[in-house]
Amino acid sequence: MTKKNNTMNTTMDGLNKISPITANQEKAFKAWHEGNNLVLSGSAGTGKTFMALYLALEDMLRNPHIYKRVIIVRSVVPTRDIGFLPGDYDEKKEMYTSPYKGVCAELFGFDGAYAKLVASKKLLFETTSFIRGNTFSNAVIVVDEMQNLNFHELDSVITRAGRDCKFIFSGDYPQSDFRHKDEKEG
């Protein structure tokens, strides 16, 4: 990804304008802007998470009458159970949010961007461990590290979508944390 003309151009609500730099990124941007859901697959460092968050945040900010928030969903492999970590649920999932804090800091140009989005209820981070029973409406749902979702988790995530939702799945199948073939069939 590149910053437009190698400079930070700010769009609505302080989101810096980002442009694709590869043909595949261009295809993803075009497909998203045409209203499609996305599956972003590629090796480490190709900008999948960065691009997914940018497109999701841009859509939410551009269409606040449709999308009220961006929801990041991630599996907490390898345990699926975050009970071994100290603290309450929010403290336990904190260790999984650092990539998104960095991306938000770059996209908005300041370190507190992620916290500000969370505090304003524009951004929500969920693990697949506790997603059942929720219905998400008016949201762009970013499913990150999709290669680590088993079938049950994938089904749980997809069936959480309510009215006016779009999905971006991102991940890299060869980077799966699963050890057994039957786990990878999600």
Side-chain angles (χ1 to χ4, degrees):
M1 310 306 304
T2 188
K3 298 156 188 142
K4 191 81 163 174
N5 300 326
N6 293 325
T7 62
M8 289 284 208
N9 291 323
T10 303
T11 64
M12 59 261 143
D13 288 340
L15 180 67
N16 292 312
K17 180 81 173 146
I18 305 299
S19 298
I21 58 171
T22 68
N24 284 334
Q25 289 175 356
E26 181 68 40
K27 287 177 191 175
F29 267 63
K30 184 175 187 275
W32 183 256
H33 292 136
E34 289 173 352
N36 295 300
N37 294 304
L38 294 180
V39 175
L40 304 175
S41 180
S43 58
T46 55
K48 300 175 301 292
T49 300
F50 189 86
M51 185 169 35
L53 273 179
Y54 173 74
L55 292 171
L57 290 164
E58 178 190 45
D59 226 6
M60 178 194 65
L61 294 169
R62 182 178 289 154
N63 302 297
H65 54 287
I66 300 172
Y67 304 113
K68 305 297 182 201
R69 61 187 170 166
V70 171
I71 301 168
I72 302 168
V73 179
R74 184 173 171 174
S75 180
V76 290
V77 169
T79 67
R80 303 252 178 287
D81 176 11
I82 60 176
F84 72 94
L85 295 170
D88 64 17
Y89 176 63
D90 288 331
E91 292 168 330
K92 290 177 185 189
K93 68 182 185 178
E94 181 73 18
M95 72 174 281
Y96 296 98
T97 64
S98 68
Y100 315 112
K101 290 176 182 176
V103 170
C104 287
E106 188 168 344
L107 288 175
F108 287 93
F110 71 99
D111 287 338
Y114 179 88
K116 184 175 180 181
L117 288 164
V118 169
S120 66
K121 301 191 184 309
K122 298 283 187 197
L123 184 66
L124 175 66
F125 176 84
E126 288 288 339
T127 69
T128 55
S129 300
F130 300 104
I131 199 170
R132 291 183 72 187
N134 291 315
T135 300
F136 302 126
S137 295
N138 302 97
V140 181
I141 302 169
V142 175
V143 182
D144 200 24
E145 301 295 339
M146 68 180 177
Q147 75 276 2
N148 289 324
L149 273 71
N150 62 32
F151 178 80
H152 172 74
E153 289 174 304
L154 179 60
D155 184 56
S156 291
V157 169
I158 291 171
T159 58
R160 300 306 97 202
R163 177 180 20 85
D164 292 323
C165 284
K166 285 175 77 174
F167 278 99
I168 302 176
F169 287 86
S170 69
D172 179 16
Y173 185 73
Q175 289 186 53
S176 176
D177 292 327
F178 291 128
R179 292 185 212 132
H180 306 288
K181 182 183 182 289
D182 63 330
E183 291 177 315
K184 295 181 180 185
E185 293 177 353

